[in-house]
Amino acid sequence: MDHIPILQMGRFLLVSIQVDMHDRQAMTLQDDLTDRIAKTGARGVLIDISALELVDSFIGRIIGTIAAMARVLDAETVVVGMRPAVAITLVELGMELPGIRTALNVERGMTLLTVATGETGREAADAGVED
Amino acid sequence: MPVLKTDTLPIRTDGDVVLVRQAVRNLAVELKFGLVDQTKIVTAASELARNTLDYGGGGSVRLEVIEDGLKRGLRLTFEDTGPGIADIQQAMKDGFTSGKGMGLGLGGAKRLTHEFSIHSEVGVGTRVMVTRWK
């Protein structure tokens, strides 16, 4: 089964979901991400869903769980790039992703993470992160 | 009501759920649904396909392009031979779940479509039919 790649940038982890995930793949991403947060001491997680044509209640729940687990591990999560049609559908579905930070695009998401964590990906990268 | 096109897909694995989403998307595009309408019917299909798999123990979906006078629509019928639903009213409520989801499946699918009907018999199975018109 294909894992969704997780990139590290300084103290942040970046995930861009580019495929129509099946349920097991989504659950694997949840496990992989929490594992990586714990291993790297990442302070922020950015999840780019701009390629997703659909977020149903299952994917929504996975995103919520990732954010909650990250918070427990002292990391902030921001979800970026949701398509307008997906946003409209999610709200109608009854899922408003409570407690999850969102940003319109990657750039704004990074700014949000930087402010929320007091870290910048770059400085931490220069200093070298202890894995 | 004239049926212009029909296809049946199995729902046995979570990979099948992805294939159902793609097939519904393709038909919605063929019917020239707008992007929001496409997303709504595909999301409804995803919720119902997952229900069929998780609660019904697997089953199938029939996809039909239907015509009513001048309007065309997409009708999806999900069927399983699982345990059935004892209390449909309760199952329709948001937040009610007996599995891994958010409990938004049935109620959500109803809100995302124009027509919704459910028939379930304990020990026999469940059939959910939804239609979204263009």
Side-chain angles (χ1 to χ4, degrees), chain A residues 20-24 53-58 61 85-86 88-89 92-95, chain B residues 14 18 21 25 35-36 39-40 42-43 46-47 50 100-102 104 108 111-112:
Chain A
D20 190 354
M21 289 190 292
H22 51 72
D23 293 0
R24 263 173 309 141
E53 293 181 329
L54 157 147
V55 175
D56 62 10
S57 66
F58 182 78
R61 194 193 68 131
V86 172
I88 291 167
T89 303
E92 201 151 315
L93 185 63
M95 279 210 91
Chain B
D14 59 354
V18 175
R21 290 204 285 256
R25 169 82 63 181
L35 197 52
V36 173
T39 308
K40 284 181 181 177
V42 176
T43 304
S46 186
E47 298 294 332
R50 189 174 293 104
K100 60 179 182 171
M102 292 280 298
L104 294 168
R111 284 192 294 275
L112 293 173

